[in-house]
Amino acid sequence: MLRDVELAAEPAEVVASRLDPDWWRPAVASGERAGRSRPAWTRITERAVAAAVPPADVPTGSWPEAFAVPFGSFTALTRDLLESGIRQRVPGELAMAEPVAGTLTASLGSRLARLAVRTLMRELEQARARGRLAGASGRERFASFIRQQSAPAALAALFREYPVLARLLGTASQLTAEAGLELMDRFATDRAAIVAGLLGGHDPGPVVAVTPGLGDPHRQGRSVASVMFADGRTVIYKPRDLAAHRLLGDVTGWLNQRIPGCELRVPRVLVRPGYGWTEFVDHRPLRSGDATAFYQRTGALLAALYVLRATDIHCENLIARGDQPVLIDAEALFHPVLPARGAVAPDPAASALAASVHRVALLPYLDVSGHGLLDRSGMGGDRGQVRAGLTLEWEPPATDQAELVWQDTFFAGSANRPLADGDAAEPADYETAVLDGFRLGYTAIAGASESFATLIDSAADVETRVIIRPSGDYARLIDESTEPDLLRDARDRDKALDPQPATPAGHPLWRELARHELADLREGDIPLLTTRPGTRDIWTSAGQRLPGLLGQTGLSGALDVIGAMGEVDLRDQEWMISASLATRRPPAGHASYLPMPGPLTAIAAEPVRMLAAACGMADQIVARCMADPACAEGDRVNWICLQLVDGIRWMVLPMGASLTDGYLGVALFLAQLSALTGLTRYAELARRAVRPVARLLGALTGSPELLAAVGCGAGGLGGISYGLARTAVLLDDAELREWAELAVGVTAQAAAVTASPWWLTGSGGCLAAMCAVRAELESPAAEALAGECASRLTALAESTGGTCVTAGEPVPCGFAAGPAGVGWALTRFAGSTPGSRCFQAGQQAVRSAAEQVAAGSGWCTGAAGMLIARSCLGDFSAAGLRAAVRGLASAPVLRDLSLCHGELGVTDALAAVDAAIGPERATGGVPGQAGFRRRAGLILDAASRRTRYCGTPGAVETPGLLSGLAGIGYGLLRLGFPAQVPSVLLLEPAMSSHPSAGSPRVLRSCDA
């Protein structure tokens, strides 16, 4: 340890000339001041100041290299301490002290530079402004600054102004030395056991390199390190208890005995009190090109990790060694259920998601915290064009004019994916293999549950990690706390580091843990909290025990998982696997082209059959419903869905409130079904689903930033208003009517801050929604807001020639986002006054949209949506319109039955055009009632034959309205009962309230 290493004392008068005796006190936090002697980091800092020497040459290859130069004496001093300490503690034949010390400190300079870069940039700017830099060019002046700053007097002045920076640099150096010497002490003790247990008994020669920093720093700078011997072989050192890893080996051995050919393996391990050693596992390609065995084993491993309530199994914790997925880190087993942050009401779908296989993090997921937006899962870790976050750079480099900028970086990739001919096998292509392996592992555990429970019961006292916040969030706090203004006084930096402000008032767990998180962050560590599966206690990184903070022990949680295993749970977890893998499929956009396979039979499309098929959809939704009677919302329900989050990427998420892909759309379908069938169970579930809406509206009120993010369109508050109004009418619910009126007021606030004119996101959808709400509820507020939206859109269309975009922007193609939907909304609003500005602006927008090429045949971006918009032009005899109608009506039924871009969206569009054409059917070329009946029968046959027909990647079932089961069920109801079921795609009111919105003639003969 550094405190055991004697530092040669510098003459007191030399130190005094550099730094005042109490220079370091502002760097000590308030809680540390009382009763504390002079900290150890001050000795390293003062020695480093005294030993500082300006360089002859200044490296300029990168800013970490250049800005490490002024602190070279810190690195040199640390290296010398390590070298001398290793010589004293480890015999020369066991370790080569000089190269080992060099590798232990190889990255220290860059770390010190990152801590100081913002401060040095400010100093550079001030030195330039004061004319203190010598040189004829920017590079020469930069080199002048680095030389000046490397002098002892300049370092002393820097630390007098920024004593907290001195603490950070001194502490980093101190902890590097302490952790390195501790590692070498332990190695000297354990070498014989390492050689015998991990290296096959063959002497590897002395240690020649130790590379720390292979994981986050915890417990005063300790991190995972690789230890390389003279013969090239390597072992891994882990400065934490490895009993959990040994347990994982026992679990995989248990599975291997029960699953023929499974042969799961984990690295060999040498467990020591509080630390341990593991074999090094290298990345190896597949022996053959088939990755099926790898992904079957991955599925079996996933089953075990699910039961063990593991988490944090990300790409860096798994190594693909041929056809073996080797888990090299398993510190977060038996992870406890943590309380919800803040005062937000519990969401049963969020709770179910957190308790599912998704929690393990082995399945694909998008990480949006601290690492940019990429898949860091155990099956992810893609290399190349995947944004990994932002990195700090300087522009222009190595000049006195340099400024710090953030630049995109790309993930370098991990070793977790099996390689075939140099290419990483895509896990989504092996869905069947993953599911097969998962079933084998799941049924093995469920079939011998008592034996498995006995096995894991032995882990009651094993140390496991509790992860309460992503490491990236902590790292960001540490990085942001190096702003110069925070480095003068520790109290200022503590305020910036404190995680509590980011944690709203809520469960006392978060308040209790925040001060311990802060203590770790203060020293540059990623906070580490642990527990034991048999207790409800948490231990801090300093070893302090915090009793009773957890609501349940980790072991009882795992036993609960075993107790719940069965066909229903297996089905739910298999859906989660399929949905998660689907998120990795290449995005196809909002376009469906594939026809339904096999010959279809036009079943007689009686309404009763349509109703029965819709009830089948509803029953699937009911079966996937998540409920939690104990939550603060009473008996709230919700669903887990597969949701498109940014127009490109899909994620597995709890449903939000939206009409288009949230629980309000599901509730509307169930309410409509209840109104047609009289079945109260659907109505009651709809009421339970929408209960959180009032709380949401209250949270959005008066918050411009949130309102702008949600938007006023059909996919935002406009759609919410429409959904509440329709559901209120269908259920005859006075409270929902009040909520709908409240939603109109909040939508008006959103419309004031929403820039988008489009149907889904902006004023176009808001206009249509308010027209419907006005018709449903006779709402003056909705009528007024509709008028405001119409005026705004009319002016926009007139000023842009109908494109509704600002100069230089591309015109979006489609009804959901583009001038087509805007034009349709305007013409519908002005339907009774076709000569008005509003009507003419709408037609202008439609003509602008008609010039674009549709993507696919669907409603959202395809030909069906464009056909609806073109019907507003009134030229039903146009050859192009007739051809478009005939083309859609005669095309094969799509495999995708969804409303958004699938078959039922096409059919809805044909019905809308038929209603608009009216008596001019003969000139319009619509196929007539027989054609509608036949197509409805084909859809009914398709729905009865297939189990996957949603508008999602891989057609995985999801409950939502636009892409999922609720929308397909609603579309079937509309086919069977057009007079009672208005088009939700067009945000129509009930036809009895708004006869011009749709025609009851469509498929009328099906009522017979």
Side-chain angles (χ1 to χ4, degrees), residues 167-256:
R167 172 178 181 160
L168 298 180
L169 301 175
T171 298
S173 302
Q174 169 199 346
L175 297 183
T176 297
E178 289 186 356
L181 291 176
E182 179 181 73
L183 185 160
M184 296 309 297
D185 276 343
R186 290 170 170 177
F187 168 75
T189 301
D190 298 332
R191 185 184 188 278
I194 291 170
V195 172
L198 304 181
L199 298 176
H202 303 292
D203 194 313
V207 172
V208 296
V210 177
T211 305
L214 302 186
D216 294 326
H218 301 298
R219 290 174 173 157
Q220 300 205 320
R222 295 169 174 84
S223 65
V224 176
S226 66
V227 178
M228 179 181 288
F229 297 90
D231 69 355
R233 285 185 288 170
T234 300
V235 296
I236 302 299
Y237 164 76
K238 297 190 175 184
R240 62 171 181 271
D241 194 312
L242 294 185
H245 190 98
R246 182 167 56 193
L247 171 69
L248 184 65
D250 295 339
V251 168
T252 55
W254 188 94
L255 281 176
N256 290 340

Side-chain angles (χ1 to χ4, degrees), residues 24-34 36-37 39 41-42 163-164 167 489-491 494 522:
W24 51 272
R25 291 194 180 277
V28 180
S30 303
E32 300 175 300
R33 296 181 194 274
R36 285 290 302 267
S37 59
W41 58 265
T42 62
V164 180
R167 172 178 181 160
D489 192 301
R491 290 171 295 185
D494 275 6
R522 189 183 288 141

Side-chain angles (χ1 to χ4, degrees), residues 74-139:
F74 284 85
T75 303
L77 180 58
T78 305
R79 185 173 57 247
D80 291 345
L81 290 171
L82 281 164
E83 185 175 342
S84 62
I86 292 170
R87 292 187 192 282
Q88 295 171 16
R89 299 154 187 260
V90 185
E93 65 272 15
L94 301 185
M96 301 174 68
E98 183 176 354
V100 169
T103 54
L104 280 167
T105 55
S107 62
L108 178 59
S110 294
R111 183 180 176 191
L112 302 182
R114 178 167 290 279
L115 293 171
V117 61
R118 290 178 173 86
T119 302
L120 290 182
M121 289 297 289
R122 176 178 290 186
E123 293 293 304
L124 173 61
E125 181 181 353
Q126 292 177 352
R128 184 185 68 243
R130 295 168 183 169
R132 295 179 178 175
L133 303 179
S137 68
R139 282 185 173 271

